[in-house]
Structure formats: C-alpha cells, structure tokens
Amino acid sequence: MKFTEHFQKAKGKSLVSFEVLPPLKGGSMQAIFNTLDALMEFKPPFIDVTYHREEFIYNKRPSGYYEKTAIRKRPGTVGICAALMHRYGVDAVPHLICGGFSVEETENALIDLNFLGINNVLALRGDARQFEDKFIPQADGHKYALDLVRQIVGMNHGKYLDLNIQNGEPTDFCIGIAGYPEKHFESPNFGTDLQFTKEKVDAGAGYIVTQMFFDNQKYFEYVNACHAAGIEVPIVPGLKPLTKKYQLNSIPRKFFINLPEALVHEVQKAKDDDAVKQVGIEWCAQQSKELKAAGVPCLHYYTMGDTETVKKIAGTVA
Ligand code: FAD
C-alpha cells in the first residue's frame, strides 16, 4: 500500500513508524530484525531504510603513502526493504538519493524496486561526501531532489530514458521528500527553502518527512508556513531522542538544528550517559504526546539501532 493511503486509512489517528539504517558491511540482517522484532508491537504500517553512498577512505600503504579508496560502508537498502516486507508484511520505504547515481542507474534502481513490489520511495539529494566541501552530482546524475522526483513521476507515466520505448509500463511510486523545519543549511533563507520544497510537491511528491527537531514549535510553525505557501501534503515529523552528552554539539553540527535551552540545561545537569538517556527519553516522549494530541499523520522515529530507547518512547503514545 502507498504511504499516503496508510494516512487515509488511519482516518486522523497518528501512525507510528521507524527508520532503520543498513548494518555496516560485514554485519548481518539479524541486527535489523533484532531492532524491528521489538518494535513490531507498535504495528508500524511502513519502515524506512536509509541509503548510504560510497565514502572515501585513506589506507596507509607499506610505502607510507595513503591510498584513496571509495567504499560503501552500509550497502543493502533494497535487499533489506524486500526482506522486511517478506518478514513483517509491512511496506518498506527505501531512500533513494541523487548522489552517486547517473540518471540511468536511478532508472534501473527504480525498475528493481518496481519489480519487487516496492512502490514507496523517499527521494533525496544526499549530502556531500566526506572530504568534499559541497555536493557534487554524479556525471549525468541529478543535482537536486526535484530532478529525481521528476524522473520518478515520469516513470509513473510510463516515460523511460530510452525514447525508443513506446507505451512503457507505468510504475506507481508514492514519492516522499525531505523537509526542514529549521531550514536546509545550504538555503539562503527559510522562505527560499520552502519554495524549493513546494517545487518538489508541485512536481508530484505526495508527502514530506521532516528533519529531526527537538522543539515542537518549530514543527508547528513549519506546517503553518507550508500551508501558507500552498503545500497541502501530509508532513510527517521525524523524531530522534538525544542519548549522549556529546550530542549537544554533534547534533547541531551534523544536522544544522538548534537544541532548546531547557533540554540542554537538563542534559548538562545529568551525571552520566544513563541519566542523559533518561532525559532524552522523557523529552522525546513529551514531544510525541504533544504531536499526537495535535493530530500529526505519523510519529516517525529515527532508531539508529537503539531499540530499547525508541521502544520506551513509542510505548508512551501507543
Ligand atoms: P534538495 O531538495 O535537492 O535540496 C538541497 C539544497 O538545494 C537545499 O538547500 C535546497 O533549498 C536547495 N535547492 C533545492 N532545489 C533547488 C533549485 N532548483 N535551485 C537551487 N537550489 C535548490 N541522506 C542520505 O544520504 N541518505 C538517506 O537515506 C537520507 N535520508 C534522509 C531522510 C530525511 C527525512 C531527511 C530530512 C534527510 C535525509 N538525508 C539522507 C539527508 C539529505 O540527503 C540531506 O539533507 C541533503 O543535504 C538534502 O537533501 P534534499 O533531498 O532535501 O535536497
């Protein structure tokens, strides 16, 4: 079933869903099952699986020189999606990015998904690779998520890259996109960022999943701004609990978001990481309750492999 159909079926009740990361290369599928087995009691209608492009690593050679190698540390997104659908009977939502894909590779990836019966996809640009100071598209690849959305919509109309294909079988993808309550860090301002988001919706995206936020007010203001801009698709709040003291710096640095003063104060007071985790759980649970009370379409948790924490939080709104 399509992501958006799940919302319609829920008739205003907030759903609960999860995002998982593929295990590091050399790891096993069991790690994902262990995470999700414990979360299935919340009956998530869909599970997102992130996509990770290759990174450059530098290996020291016997000569003393460093050799630059490209390696994908977390492959397996499509296989994991198929395995989750098979094991749990849920819908899987693979993340598909522009980075590292030519348009033809993108088309082939979408054909694989279509043949596997996966008809939801979160269309993203991806970030710059480590050691690169800006996002560099693949040669003959997409520069913005908007272009990826347009390609998927084209396939939904039976349009393939090979113009010799007449009456191509239309795919039927439901397309999600990312949204940023605190603005995407590269955008010159909030309003411009919103206009780019609107372009993706106008091009055919059916829903938005937000970057994590720790202040619900930012989400509510974002939803209002989207409505004012004419964006009427469901906006799913993305939630992540803070669990370690160092995240007071690493989360703002990595995700370009602010942490509320009251949360920072509580974390600073915590005597060890167990106490920090407790603060994070209570904060995220409070966020979840307020968002549910406001009637959000879905509470979407970034698990980052931490089942126990996410389970405690989801349990407070079940
Ligand atoms: P875009 O929509 O392309 O926007 C990128 C920037 O370009 C923004 O500043 C935007 O304002 C600007 N822009 C957009 N269109 C135009 C235009 N026409 N002209 C000029 N500027 C424009 N990354 C991964 O690698 N794998 C994942 O699995 C993954 N999952 C994610 C899930 C969620 C819910 C979120 C919020 C992010 C995720 N990301 C993931 C990170 C994401 O790829 C980055 O945030 C990336 O920097 C931007 O992606 P986007 O799809 O928002 O890009």
Side-chain angles (χ1 to χ4, degrees):
M1 199 190 286
K2 289 183 183 175
F3 205 98
T4 45
E5 288 167 353
H6 284 293
F7 298 142
Q8 285 154 11
K9 204 173 143 208
K11 295 197 172 88
K13 184 172 167 269
S14 301
L15 301 169
V16 170
S17 65
F18 304 104
E19 177 193 281
V20 293
L21 275 66
L24 284 167
K25 192 180 269 189
S28 85
M29 187 63 205
Q30 194 55 44
I32 303 265
F33 290 152
N34 290 346
T35 302
L36 290 174
D37 282 354
L39 296 173
M40 279 302 135
E41 65 180 86
F42 301 109
K43 300 191 172 43
F46 39 79
I47 292 161
D48 275 51
V49 184
T50 56
Y51 187 92
H52 301 259
R53 74 180 292 192
E54 83 287 358
E55 288 290 343
F56 291 128
I57 56 162
Y58 290 85
N59 291 317
K60 195 168 186 185
R61 308 303 302 163
S63 63
Y65 285 104
Y66 282 86
E67 184 184 54
K68 185 178 169 188
T69 320
I71 183 165
R72 278 190 65 206
K73 291 186 180 169
R74 293 183 186 271
T77 301
V78 176
I80 292 170
C81 284
L84 296 185
M85 288 172 74
H86 178 68
R87 181 176 173 104
Y88 301 114
V90 296
D91 281 307
V93 185
H95 294 190
L96 189 60
I97 63 171
C98 304
F101 283 81
S102 68
V103 289
E104 201 199 345
E105 287 162 342
T106 298
E107 183 175 271
N108 293 340
L110 288 161
I111 288 170
D112 279 344
L113 294 176
N114 186 41
F115 287 170
L116 283 165
I118 297 171
N119 60 2
N120 292 290
V121 65
L122 193 71
L124 303 147
R125 186 197 69 179
D127 279 319
R129 280 182 292 201
Q130 226 183 340
F131 308 118
E132 287 179 348
D133 62 357
K134 63 173 193 232
F135 174 80
I136 302 170
Q138 185 81 355
D140 191 24
H142 296 308
K143 192 172 175 191
Y144 297 112
L146 171 65
D147 307 314
L148 175 56
V149 171
R150 286 186 175 141
Q151 183 176 8
I152 304 169
V153 169
M155 286 178 69
N156 281 350
H157 289 100
K159 193 174 149 214
Y160 290 77
L161 294 170
D162 181 350
L163 298 177
N164 293 318
I165 298 175
Q166 301 285 328
N167 305 317
E169 178 73 20
T171 56
D172 190 21
F173 287 107
C174 173
I175 308 163
I177 52 165
Y180 302 86
E182 297 179 62
K183 175 182 108 54
H184 185 263
F185 71 102
E186 292 169 28
S187 277
N189 57 54
F190 183 80
T192 308
D193 198 31
L194 208 59
Q195 279 313 309
F196 290 136
T197 303
K198 183 167 187 312
E199 279 186 37
K200 292 189 278 188
V201 172
D202 290 347
Y207 68 96
I208 297 171
V209 184
T210 75
Q211 181 59 278
M212 68 182 77
F213 55 89
F214 291 83
D215 176 355
N216 283 353
Q217 206 47 40
K218 305 270 186 206
Y219 169 81
F220 295 132
E221 285 166 11
Y222 180 67
V223 171
N224 288 340
C226 283
H227 291 166
I231 298 171
E232 294 298 344
V233 295
I235 302 174
V236 174
L239 294 167
K240 177 185 152 45
L242 198 145
T243 52
K244 301 268 186 326
K245 209 168 242 182
Y246 70 75
Q247 291 173 325
L248 289 184
N249 302 112
S250 65
I251 287 180
R253 192 172 57 235
K254 191 153 184 240
F255 298 102
F256 303 92
I257 58 169
N258 284 302
L259 298 175
E261 277 177 35
L263 173 61
V264 174
H265 185 63
E266 287 303 311
V267 171
Q268 281 170 338
K269 272 196 327 196
K271 63 178 189 325
D272 55 26
D273 269 345
D274 281 346
V276 173
K277 194 179 253 195
Q278 196 48 38
V279 170
I281 289 172
E282 282 165 22
W283 189 274
C284 193
Q286 194 48 41
Q287 278 192 280
S288 304
K289 284 180 200 158
E290 192 184 13
L291 290 164
K292 186 178 175 184
V296 298
C298 179
L299 296 159
H300 185 63
Y301 294 102
Y302 301 121
T303 64
M304 318 290 262
D306 189 348
T307 316
E308 188 204 345
T309 302
V310 172
K311 190 172 174 182
K312 281 185 184 153
I313 296 161
T316 64
V317 286

